[in-house]
Amino acid sequence: MSFLKHFKFALILLLVVACQKKEQNHKDMLWYEQPATKWMEALPVGNGRLGAMVFGNPNQERIQLNEDSMWPGAADWEDFKGDSKDLEEIRRLIKNGNIQEGDKLIVEKFSLKSIVRSHQTMGDLFIDFHQKKEVENYRRALNLDDALATVSYTSEGDTYSQKVFASAVDDALVIELSTTASEGLNLNLKLNRPKDNGHETVAISNPSNSEISMLGMVTQFGGMKNSKPFPIDYGVQFETRLKVKNDSGSIAVENGELVLKNVNKAILYLVCNTSFYHENYKEKTLENLASIENKSFDELFKRHQKDYQKLYNRVAFNLGGTALDSIPTDKRLKRIKAGEDDPDLAAKLFKFGRYLLIASSRENTNPANLQGIWNEHIKAPWNADYHLNINLQMNYWPAEVTNLSELHQPFFNFLDKVVERGKVTAKKQYGIQRGAVVHHTTDLWAPAFMRAEQPYWGSWVHGGGWSSQHYWEHYLYRKDADFLEHRAYPVLKSISEFYLDWLVKDPKTNYWVSSPETSPENSYFFDKENSGAVSFGSAMGHQIIAETFDNVLEASKILNIENAFVEEVRLKRARLFPGIVIGDHGRILEWNEPYDEPEKGHRHMSHLYALHPGNKIVESNAKAFEAAQKTIDYRLQHGGAGTGWSRAWMINLNARLLDAKSAQENIKKFMQISVADNLFDEHPPFQIDGNFGFTAGVAELLMQSHEPFLRILPALPENWKTGKISGLKARGNIEVDIEWKDGKLVKVGLLSKENQIKNITYNGVSVDIELPKNEKIWLNEKLSILK
């Protein structure tokens, strides 16, 4: 090798090392020393609607593509099954203790049973680099600060780079490939999509010598309905189009692919539009492409960065320990699995949850599904749909408290549609003329019908009740009177109307009871040998109904509404069977009766809904508070919280019980058991709700506002000795900054968006603080105002 070549190589190496050290010191970086070899190692980018998983292979790169409306079928399935006579028969069976027949009948009469109608992959972009060179100084990274995925390495003295981001402001995936090698890059670009049960799903063409078009329709030839094969040969239509701009070398078309030769830098613009969003989706795709194809990578990136950081930078979180940033993320996880401590990685996991919400839920997109938007399947686990017995709700737990309130909008837009269809379901299926019912699961087409092959996981009527809580919480955080009147109140009223007519009077107690009930995915022994699912009342059902009634009554008061409906809610709420009943064993009962259960360590903590995400079990309610702790202890003693999302829920429950020690243990277990190398939550398989639930749980450990007062550092883990967080949101539209050292509060900053007096509580001290509108108030460790 010549002196000049040696010098060039040494200089490049120094620059690479310097850049890597700079990046390693970056507080919000995930990074790896090798490409992803499987999907759960790839790094996600997304703009709310479009997403991609970047593998970073320097020879055969795969960038797996997603779009949030890639679903088969249409909104054309029936809204109901069965009728009110079937409901009365099921109630009679339960009353007579014939639970197994009730289980059988509720599925037979009301359920569409097992359904396969799945969210699907958009396909893949493959980049075949014509090189077999030895790769050195490899680095793959995701910078959470600016939502940029990068790959860099050297080979034979030259540098190679790949940068990928998904822009919301320009609605595109943008990729830059570059090298310093004098001969440039030689590569093939290919778009493809998996077959659907042997059926081709796309047609590939080259509209020009620098473009690839992938035109297709989402189908489900392996579809299922009523637990029987149900091929779906129609669905959302789409076009994905890739355009390439190169600064040197040549580009040509070959068998539908693009062949680039001797290119030093190339920009790949990828856009997609669907018939779900646009009737003229092909024209929209051309319009999108025309708006960006003359913009440079740097110009597009700066626009993306500004738009993204407007959301991401609202919250900053630091737990120290950044010296470990010099260790790749997957190796840091291995340290944790081996028992080592790493608070900074927990802080990064919190930030990653916010990153994922920004990347999978933007205004005017669909809400984040079971996998956010990142799904490589034609038939995804659980259809990657919307489960309403915790999963979709958990996706949005961090939206308000971590200052991403706008990202809640897709949830509301979607649930509005589900509630409308639920009005038909309530009327036709149950004979209930008022209001709406929403069951356990829905999908892009917003059906409210029941789908369950087994009664214990699908025969549940509270998807609407639980979801309505989010409307009310959004109001509490934002204090948006217009939203309360025109969005929240209609939904709360509709769900309450259904409950008013659904409840039945128990002649023994004179209470109103929900029947038939289930406790999500759990069952109970109704005698010594036999178990069942349907029941006469359950804790979660009554807790949700009580909460819905309370919220609609409070909303009515704020809106000055007083009518026959409000009075009916008030009267039935007063005689509603209590959802919080403590058994002789000191635990909260999951059903109205003290039944034993086959699965004592069940993953769902349904009977603790009133602790979290509800707010009825609080420290001042000492008996229920103690009973909730015993309930958790019992679940964990029998192997509970085994899934990722369940462990994340447990962290939130620990926080509400002010149990810092247990929260610390569950954070450690979550990171040891349920976090993949790319920090995705593993159910297993992948479910994104655990990521969002973890982020919400961290916020609950540091600040709580579900009671009339604002509690500071309620459950600070002991190993988070020193840290600070800024930009959290409390109910009442208050931004909160907290700094602590050696486990003790140093100062807290409060910025209210309206004039108000708020009680602040920390470490046994409770003070009423006057908060002037838009004026930051700082308090010291004694909650005295800092001048």
Side-chain angles (χ1 to χ4, degrees):
M1 188 183 290
S2 68
F3 171 78
L4 187 61
K5 192 80 170 176
H6 274 296
F7 179 77
K8 179 183 176 184
F9 175 74
L11 182 61
I12 289 169
L13 188 60
L14 283 171
L15 288 171
V16 168
V17 171
C19 288
Q20 287 186 355
K21 283 185 176 179
K22 183 179 179 183
E23 287 179 323
Q24 286 165 1
N25 290 331
H26 203 293
K27 60 180 180 178
D28 291 352
M29 183 78 72
L30 314 181
W31 73 280
Y32 308 83
E33 294 176 310
Q34 68 286 328
T37 58
K38 55 186 179 182
W39 194 85
M40 285 296 283
E41 295 172 354
L43 294 172
V45 297
N47 71 359
R49 186 180 69 85
L50 289 175
M53 295 291 285
V54 183
F55 284 67
N57 190 311
N59 294 312
Q60 302 283 338
E61 171 65 311
R62 176 191 179 195
I63 298 179
Q64 187 266 317
L65 307 170
N66 279 111
E67 198 276 344
D68 73 4
S69 66
M70 300 286 289
W71 290 77
D76 57 354
W77 286 6
E78 61 271 33
D79 286 308
F80 67 96
K81 187 179 174 185
D83 58 32
S84 59
K85 292 180 181 178
D86 299 318
L87 176 62
E88 291 308 312
E89 175 62 12
I90 292 164
R91 284 174 169 169
R92 186 188 67 79
L93 290 169
I94 293 171
K95 182 179 180 181
N96 293 337
N98 199 338
I99 303 303
Q100 288 181 328
E101 280 300 309
D103 280 354
K104 181 180 177 182
L105 199 63
I106 201 169
V107 171
E108 179 185 322
K109 293 296 185 180
F110 292 143
S111 178
L112 271 69
K113 302 180 183 176
S114 286
I115 287 173
V116 174
R117 186 168 69 168
S118 176
H119 176 253
Q120 297 181 13
T121 177
M122 187 213 292
D124 295 275
L125 168 63
F126 293 103
I127 308 175
D128 180 7
F129 294 96
H130 302 168
Q131 63 179 36
K132 299 298 179 184
K133 299 176 182 178
E134 184 178 344
V135 170
E136 299 173 316
N137 305 304
Y138 180 91
R139 180 184 176 87
R140 177 171 59 100
L142 175 63
N143 189 334
L144 303 181
D145 262 350
D146 52 25
L148 179 70
T150 57
V151 178
S152 62
Y153 56 91
T154 62
S155 182
E156 297 183 2
D158 297 304
T159 62
Y160 294 81
S161 171
Q162 174 181 291
K163 300 176 182 178
V164 185
F165 66 89
S167 170
V169 68
D170 286 305
D171 200 14
L173 187 73
V174 185
I175 303 165
E176 181 188 77
L177 306 173
S178 64
T179 183
T180 62
S182 57
E183 67 271 23
L185 294 166
N186 296 294
L187 57 95
N188 280 35
L189 297 171
K190 177 182 178 181
L191 284 178
N192 200 0
R193 189 169 188 269
K195 292 182 179 180
D196 175 15
N197 269 31
H199 295 261
E200 292 288 352
T201 58
V202 291
I204 305 294
S205 64
N206 298 109
S208 73
N209 67 353
S210 63
E211 293 180 81
I212 306 175
S213 169
M214 183 166 69
L215 193 63
M217 181 168 64
V218 184
T219 57
Q220 195 93 63
F221 285 96
M224 184 177 288
K225 182 181 179 185
N226 282 311
S227 298
K228 297 177 181 178
F230 192 90
I232 304 171
D233 62 359
Y234 61 97
V236 170
Q237 299 175 66
F238 67 95
E239 182 181 26
T240 302
R241 190 174 284 227
L242 175 72
K243 185 175 182 65
V244 179
K245 283 211 166 181
N246 51 306
D247 68 343
S248 58
S250 65
I251 183 168
V253 170
E254 187 177 292
N255 299 322
E257 301 181 18
L258 296 180
V259 182
L260 281 66
K261 293 181 179 179
N262 307 122
V263 174
N264 288 102
K265 182 182 287 186
I267 304 173
L268 283 55
Y269 308 89
L270 190 143
V271 297
C272 175
N273 282 285
T274 76
S275 60
F276 179 82
Y277 286 106
H278 304 284
E279 183 179 354
N280 299 318
Y281 62 94
K282 297 178 193 176
E283 289 83 352
K284 183 65 177 176
T285 297
L286 290 173
E287 180 186 318
N288 280 14
L289 198 55
S291 70
I292 62 173
E293 61 183 348
N294 292 318
K295 292 185 172 73
S296 69
F297 181 89
D298 288 344
E299 185 180 355
L300 291 169
F301 178 68
K302 286 176 183 177
R303 286 166 54 81
H304 153 74
Q305 187 182 49
K306 182 180 179 181
D307 171 74
Y308 168 77
Q309 290 182 346
K310 178 180 64 179
L311 296 166
Y312 184 78
N313 287 351
R314 289 176 184 172
V315 172
F317 184 33
N318 186 354
L319 287 176
T322 54
L324 293 176
D325 282 352
S326 62
I327 302 173
T329 304
D330 52 335
K331 292 182 179 178
R332 290 176 73 170
L333 273 173
K334 287 179 182 177
R335 290 179 75 256
I336 292 174
K337 295 178 194 298
E340 297 291 332
D341 202 17
D342 191 345
D344 178 61
L345 193 57
K348 283 182 170 60
L349 190 57
F350 166 87
K351 297 168 188 177
F352 187 58
R354 294 186 73 248
Y355 166 84
L356 292 175
L357 191 58
I358 297 169
S360 63
S361 182
R362 288 291 197 106
E363 293 175 270
N364 301 315
T365 70
N366 288 303
N369 64 39
L370 272 176
Q371 295 189 198
I373 51 175
W374 299 281
N375 164 31
E376 66 172 337
H377 304 283
I378 295 292
K379 178 187 174 185
W382 301 286
N383 294 317
D385 54 24
Y386 301 108
H387 282 47
L388 299 174
N389 67 347
I390 189 169
N391 311 98
L392 178 59
Q393 291 91 342
M394 184 180 280
N395 284 1
Y396 286 89
W397 285 356
E400 304 294 340
V401 70
T402 73
N403 215 337
L404 296 172
S405 188
E406 305 96 312
L407 307 189
H408 223 153
Q409 290 301 326
F411 178 99
F412 302 130
N413 295 340
F414 177 67
L415 261 297
D416 285 351
K417 292 188 289 185
V418 181
V419 167
E420 281 305 304
R421 291 192 68 178
K423 291 177 181 177
V424 178
T425 307
K427 187 176 294 185
K428 298 292 186 178
Q429 183 162 303
Y430 298 124
I432 292 176
Q433 302 304 306
R434 301 185 293 174
V437 62
V438 178
H439 290 94
H440 163 274
T441 308
T442 185
D443 60 29
L444 179 75
W445 307 114
F449 53 62
M450 183 187 294
R451 58 174 82 182
E453 195 168 43
Q454 299 295 330
Y456 63 85
W457 67 262
S459 301
W460 190 71
V461 298
H462 299 293
W466 190 335
S467 297
S468 74
Q469 183 206 56
H470 283 246
Y471 289 78
W472 177 244
E473 289 288 305
H474 184 73
Y475 166 73
L476 292 180
Y477 276 95
R478 292 290 293 267
K479 291 295 183 179
D480 183 341
D482 184 71
F483 177 85
L484 178 65
E485 181 178 1
H486 297 109
R487 298 295 299 279
Y489 191 78
V491 171
L492 287 165
K493 183 173 185 286
S494 188
I495 301 301
S496 294
E497 285 175 329
F498 171 78
Y499 285 146
L500 288 172
D501 294 344
W502 170 263
L503 294 168
V504 296
K505 181 67 73 72
D506 179 4
K508 295 180 182 178
T509 63
N510 207 33
Y511 278 124
W512 291 103
V513 174
S514 177
S515 177
E517 265 294 352
T518 59
S519 192
E521 303 184 26
N522 206 359
S523 56
Y524 65 95
F525 284 114
F526 57 85
D527 60 31
K528 290 183 179 181
E529 297 179 353
N530 299 297
S531 63
V534 297
S535 63
F536 188 66
S538 75
M540 177 181 251
H542 291 135
Q543 289 172 18
I544 290 175
I545 295 170
E547 178 186 74
T548 306
F549 282 173
D550 289 344
N551 291 345
V552 80
L553 288 172
E554 186 63 26
S556 297
K557 187 187 299 182
I558 294 167
L559 297 172
N560 294 314
I561 297 172
E562 184 60 56
N563 53 29
F565 160 73
V566 173
E567 181 60 18
E568 187 180 1
V569 172
R570 191 177 290 123
L571 290 172
K572 286 201 171 177
R573 172 65 180 96
R575 295 301 303 169
L576 180 67
F577 191 94
I580 305 169
V581 178
I582 301 172
D584 293 340
H585 41 51
R587 304 190 304 273
I588 293 173
L589 298 185
E590 189 161 355
W591 295 272
N592 285 22
E593 303 292 334
Y595 298 121
D596 199 2
E597 54 192 318
E599 195 177 346
K600 296 178 173 61
H602 199 270
R603 58 196 172 277
H604 281 261
M605 301 293 296
S606 301
H607 41 324
L608 292 185
Y609 178 94
L611 174 64
H612 182 279
N615 62 6
K616 292 297 187 292
I617 299 177
V618 293
E619 187 182 25
S620 58
N621 185 354
K623 289 184 178 179
F625 203 70
E626 182 182 356
Q629 184 63 66
K630 289 182 178 179
T631 303
I632 287 176
D633 293 343
Y634 183 80
R635 272 284 201 265
L636 291 179
Q637 285 165 11
H638 292 87
T643 59
W645 64 263
S646 182
R647 185 74 62 183
W649 191 7
M650 190 65 69
I651 294 166
N652 285 270
L653 294 168
N654 295 152
R656 288 285 176 91
L657 287 170
L658 314 178
D659 186 358
K661 182 179 179 182
S662 294
Q664 181 174 327
E665 291 173 356
N666 282 308
I667 288 170
K668 185 175 183 178
K669 288 179 180 177
F670 180 75
M671 297 182 75
Q672 287 177 330
I673 299 169
S674 300
V675 176
D677 283 350
N678 65 356
L679 299 194
F680 269 165
D681 165 65
E682 295 195 272
H683 179 282
F686 167 51
Q687 276 188 202
I688 205 167
D689 41 22
N691 288 107
F692 295 135
F694 176 85
T695 294
V698 169
E700 288 287 330
L701 295 171
L702 302 178
M703 185 271 293
Q704 294 176 13
S705 63
H706 60 287
E707 298 176 85
F709 52 88
L710 179 56
R711 196 189 291 266
I712 306 300
L713 299 181
L716 181 67
E718 188 178 300
N719 65 330
W720 295 2
K721 294 184 182 298
T722 298
K724 55 184 177 181
I725 192 164
S726 61
L728 288 180
K729 262 294 183 78
R731 293 165 182 85
N733 210 358
I734 304 169
E735 283 194 8
V736 182
D737 301 348
I738 308 169
E739 186 175 336
W740 65 96
K741 185 177 181 180
D742 297 326
K744 303 294 183 183
L745 179 67
V746 173
K747 60 180 179 178
V748 56
L750 305 168
L751 177 62
S752 175
K753 300 305 171 74
E754 60 181 54
N755 294 317
Q756 61 179 304
I757 296 173
K758 191 71 178 178
N759 182 271
I760 314 298
T761 296
Y762 167 70
N763 198 28
V765 178
S766 185
V767 179
D768 287 334
I769 300 294
E770 185 175 345
L771 300 176
K773 181 179 180 180
N774 293 328
E775 182 181 332
K776 191 122 181 203
I777 300 295
W778 285 96
L779 310 177
N780 63 17
E781 75 281 4
K782 296 180 181 179
L783 302 186
S784 299
I785 295 177
L786 288 169
K787 302 298 183 181

